[in-house]
Amino acid sequence: MLCGIDEAGRGPLAGPVVACAVIIEDRPRIRYVNDSKQLTALEREDLFLKITERAIEIRVSVVDHDVIDEINILKANMRAMENCLNSLENEYERAMIDGNYFKFEENRHNNFRYMTVVDGDQKIYQISCASIIAKVTRDNIMKQMHEEYPMYGFDTHKGYATRHHIEMIRKYGPCDIHRKTFCKNFVQGLLVFEEGQAGS
């Protein structure tokens, strides 16, 4: 029994980073589960429902923009993943974490059995499931934020550094959910990112 862990939202200029841990049996597998970035929004939403129905346990952690600005995105990402691990109630053999790096916060003692897997969201079924849950959860948060800040277009780009998003930041300035440490160069007009350069 494996636990898969992945995150969504490391690269955007606004909004939280969201991590997810999923404990789910390896067989039978849900068809078409894959890295969330390889799926359309409709496919992710359909699989989100199927995974939540099939999973033994799902834990999600949301770390907001203020914390990202305070401790940096890498530490915020690690904190979100650690929160997921700490909240799990069911037994599992090992936690499989997407990426090549994971570290617990200082002075934390733990007995977690885990390993990191580069491109794990493409290789490990449980990580793929976590990738989908994290991505859909974060997208839904950003859709809600669009209702409060419609001028930025969060419902379309979800906070990533698209040309339109950067133009809106320059026009209106950053809003409350923008990551100030990410946006300062765009506000100053020092960097220009083309459409499609947003990360995962």
Side-chain angles (χ1 to χ4, degrees), residues 95-140:
M96 311 294 284
I97 302 175
D98 184 54
N100 60 1
Y101 180 79
F102 175 77
K103 181 180 179 180
F104 287 94
E105 292 194 56
E106 293 181 8
N107 303 320
R108 294 288 185 93
H109 299 284
N110 67 83
N111 297 312
F112 297 116
R113 301 177 302 280
Y114 71 89
M115 65 180 294
T116 57
V117 183
V118 176
D119 295 327
D121 48 7
Q122 301 172 30
K123 301 173 182 176
I124 308 295
Y125 173 68
Q126 288 80 3
I127 298 179
S128 297
C129 290
S131 169
I132 291 166
I133 299 295
K135 175 64 174 169
V136 172
T137 300
R138 188 181 186 281
D139 283 357
N140 287 338

Side-chain angles (χ1 to χ4, degrees), residues 15-160:
V17 62
V18 176
C20 177
V22 176
I23 300 176
I24 189 169
E25 292 179 341
D26 199 58
R27 294 286 187 273
R29 292 190 174 188
I30 301 168
R31 292 186 67 187
Y32 308 118
V33 164
N34 195 358
D35 169 17
S36 64
K37 295 185 291 297
Q38 306 298 320
L39 302 167
T40 67
L42 288 176
E43 288 170 336
R44 287 193 297 265
E45 291 167 5
D46 179 62
L47 290 167
F48 178 97
L49 297 175
K50 292 177 179 177
I51 293 166
T52 53
E53 290 174 355
R54 186 81 61 86
I56 294 167
E57 186 173 3
I58 295 174
R59 295 292 174 177
V60 172
S61 175
V62 179
V63 174
D64 71 20
H65 56 283
D66 287 329
V67 176
I68 293 170
D69 279 336
E70 178 184 353
I71 66 175
N72 79 45
I73 184 60
L74 178 61
K75 290 180 181 178
N77 189 40
M78 298 301 104
R79 180 177 293 184
M81 290 180 169
E82 183 177 342
N83 289 343
C84 290
L85 279 169
N86 280 326
S87 63
L88 287 167
E89 297 180 351
N90 286 272
E91 293 292 326
Y92 55 90
E93 180 181 346
R94 188 180 299 274
M96 311 294 284
I97 302 175
D98 184 54
N100 60 1
Y101 180 79
F102 175 77
K103 181 180 179 180
F104 287 94
E105 292 194 56
E106 293 181 8
N107 303 320
R108 294 288 185 93
H109 299 284
N110 67 83
N111 297 312
F112 297 116
R113 301 177 302 280
Y114 71 89
M115 65 180 294
T116 57
V117 183
V118 176
D119 295 327
D121 48 7
Q122 301 172 30
K123 301 173 182 176
I124 308 295
Y125 173 68
Q126 288 80 3
I127 298 179
S128 297
C129 290
S131 169
I132 291 166
I133 299 295
K135 175 64 174 169
V136 172
T137 300
R138 188 181 186 281
D139 283 357
N140 287 338
I141 291 171
M142 297 310 294
K143 289 176 186 176
Q144 293 173 4
M145 291 299 99
H146 174 71
E147 299 298 318
E148 191 167 350
Y149 306 101
M151 69 285 287
Y152 295 99
F154 292 137
D155 59 329
T156 56
H157 54 66
K158 310 302 187 294
Y160 285 95

